[in-house]
Amino acid sequence: MSLAGMGVVCIWHDLLADAKDDFYQWHAREHMPERVAIPGFRRGRRYVAVAGAPEFFNLYEADTAEVLGGRDYLNRLNAPTEWTRRVVTSFRNVSRSICRVAFSGGVGQGGLMLTRCFDVGAADRERALTALRQRLLPTLADRTGIAGVHLCVADEIISNVDTAEKKARADATSVPAWIVLIEGLSQSAVVAAEASLAAQMRATLDAACCAPAVTAVYRLEHECGKTSGSAG
């Protein structure tokens, strides 16, 4: 697999313009190291939009989804620092899903990331999951210019847990249910891969996945992994 674990946190958000300097300092110097130090967390990445919205996409990789619903992470979410409380009040248009990784393939990480959020009706979920994992996504991961392809399915119970940090945000938080992440070497490569996937999904799954998907393309800005001094 190309991801660093079987559980991920996917977060999209905009930001008030006058908060950006504070956000960048906080995110790189406090927030990402704090998250990655939690036992079971492996890596954090921040991306900025080059096409579509919201402006920022953040991806945290962990051993399992259970880590992301576990006590260590919840304790951190329920005890935000003063810096965290100040910055997250500036978040807008927030979407956040805690997901189980249903598929991850590829050779590594790419500098561009396309996110594709969609939903599947309850009656079609098993059929869609089988088609995506066994037929559609493996071939996508082999395309020229593609480094990794991942299917992440939200755990709605864990994703909807109320925490002090969530309550500090000014906006309500949506929970995308199904997420395909396409990592590649260029914007054109990930856009072409998504277009191919969309066409195959329409042909293979008919009405199961034909609801309009929300897509955006992001460029990697910052990455934070565990260091010798971090916990976990």
Side-chain angles (χ1 to χ4, degrees):
M1 62 182 291
S2 180
L3 287 176
M6 296 303 295
V8 298
V9 187
C10 296
I11 307 170
W12 297 259
H13 66 90
D14 287 318
L15 192 69
L16 295 180
D18 60 3
K20 283 191 176 180
D21 288 344
D22 199 23
F23 167 76
Y24 276 117
Q25 284 290 99
W26 163 79
H27 203 251
R29 299 184 181 277
E30 180 184 274
H31 190 68
M32 292 182 81
E34 174 191 273
R35 290 296 191 257
V36 173
I38 295 169
F41 273 65
R42 297 190 181 183
R43 177 169 56 184
R45 291 185 262 173
R46 183 185 70 243
Y47 295 81
V48 64
V50 297
E55 184 174 7
F56 295 100
F57 172 63
N58 304 285
L59 179 68
Y60 292 96
E61 296 154 80
D63 291 341
T64 65
E66 283 67 33
V67 166
L68 303 172
R71 183 52 50 193
D72 290 322
Y73 186 32
L74 287 176
N75 285 345
R76 187 68 270 168
L77 290 169
N78 281 313
T81 67
E82 289 303 314
W83 202 357
T84 295
R85 287 184 181 275
R86 182 173 77 239
V87 171
V88 300
T89 59
S90 300
F91 282 25
R92 296 294 185 272
N93 304 315
V94 181
S95 297
R96 175 181 178 274
S97 297
I98 291 179
C99 302
R100 300 179 187 277
V101 177
F103 175 86
S104 179
V107 294
Q109 289 72 53
L112 277 295
M113 176 83 82
L114 184 145
T115 69
R116 185 181 205 273
C117 301
F118 59 102
D119 204 355
V120 179
D124 293 305
R125 287 177 184 171
E126 284 303 317
R127 184 166 66 94
L129 188 61
T130 298
L132 286 163
R133 295 175 67 178
Q134 296 183 5
R135 299 194 301 278
L136 305 186
L137 297 182
T139 59
L140 206 67
D142 291 334
R143 290 176 62 100
T144 299
I146 299 302
V149 177
H150 323 294
L151 174 62
C152 308
V153 180
D155 184 311
E156 295 190 11
I157 294 176
I158 300 176
S159 297
N160 283 294
V161 171
D162 273 337
T163 65
E165 187 172 311
K166 183 176 181 179
K167 291 174 182 176
R169 295 195 287 265
D171 281 2
T173 301
S174 65
V175 180
W178 290 52
I179 303 157
V180 169
L181 305 176
I182 304 174
E183 302 190 57
L185 308 185
S186 67
Q187 182 176 348
S188 60
V190 297
V191 169
E194 192 278 330
S196 175
L197 175 63
Q200 291 181 67
M201 288 174 70
R202 286 193 297 269
T204 303
L205 298 169
D206 302 320
C209 294
C210 287
V214 177
T215 64
V217 181
Y218 295 88
R219 172 179 54 82
L220 181 65
E221 278 197 323
H222 186 69
E223 180 175 332
C224 180
K226 284 196 182 296
T227 67
S228 59
S230 65

